[in-house]
Amino acid sequence: MTPLPILERAAAFTTRLDQSMCDGCDACGTRCTAGIRILQSEFEAIQAELARLPAEEVARVLAQEKRQPIPGSDEHYEACRFRDVERGRCLIYPARPLICRLFGHVEWLPCPIAKTPPPPPGAVELMQAYAAHPRHTYEEWLALTAGDRSSPSR
């Protein structure tokens, strides 16, 4: 699939984010929830990352219980299928979708421990342009591409 101009804009925006304070921190991890809608090109990037990873590691993370407690609450949430809840990390971190890259760096998804600087301007406009493109959940993309032999079924 040809890269969309919105992904070029997204890459330009996210490279301006100072993520140095994020090294070793996983405070945003409870925001890694199931049901995030992504672009087809993001789905394809995730598929490529899964194909690159050891099958045993992928299977280990996908087999984990994803129903997780919300810290400080009696409530629970469904973690993203790629969230390694045992190790507190993202299985597909290099290929994570735009919304995941923005966690802690935009006003509507602030850093939960208030360590990041204010975001650069343009985040809202970027997300509005991103939302104008067809998006589906990872599971929906799997179903839509089921007949496509080039897509791994993980």
Side-chain angles (χ1 to χ4, degrees), residues 63-85:
Q64 294 174 354
E65 172 59 49
K66 301 300 181 178
R67 187 172 186 267
Q68 297 293 306
I70 297 174
S73 169
D74 293 333
E75 301 295 319
H76 290 78
Y77 73 99
E78 187 75 17
C80 174
R81 70 187 298 141
F82 303 116
R83 173 84 175 143
D84 185 341
V85 296

Side-chain angles (χ1 to χ4, degrees), residues 29-35 50 57-71 75-92 138-139:
T30 58
R31 293 182 176 165
C32 299
T33 61
L50 291 171
E57 178 67 358
V58 172
R60 183 187 69 77
V61 172
L62 295 181
Q64 294 174 354
E65 172 59 49
K66 301 300 181 178
R67 187 172 186 267
Q68 297 293 306
I70 297 174
E75 301 295 319
H76 290 78
Y77 73 99
E78 187 75 17
C80 174
R81 70 187 298 141
F82 303 116
R83 173 84 175 143
D84 185 341
V85 296
E86 294 170 3
R87 297 182 182 166
R89 65 181 185 88
C90 176
L91 178 67
I92 58 156
Y138 181 84
E139 293 75 13

Side-chain angles (χ1 to χ4, degrees), residues 88-117:
R89 65 181 185 88
C90 176
L91 178 67
I92 58 156
Y93 192 81
R96 70 197 187 283
L98 175 61
I99 193 68
C100 304
R101 293 173 188 274
L102 295 178
F103 284 169
H105 297 281
V106 291
E107 48 278 351
W108 65 91
L109 291 170
C111 175
I113 57 174
K115 283 187 131 183
T116 59

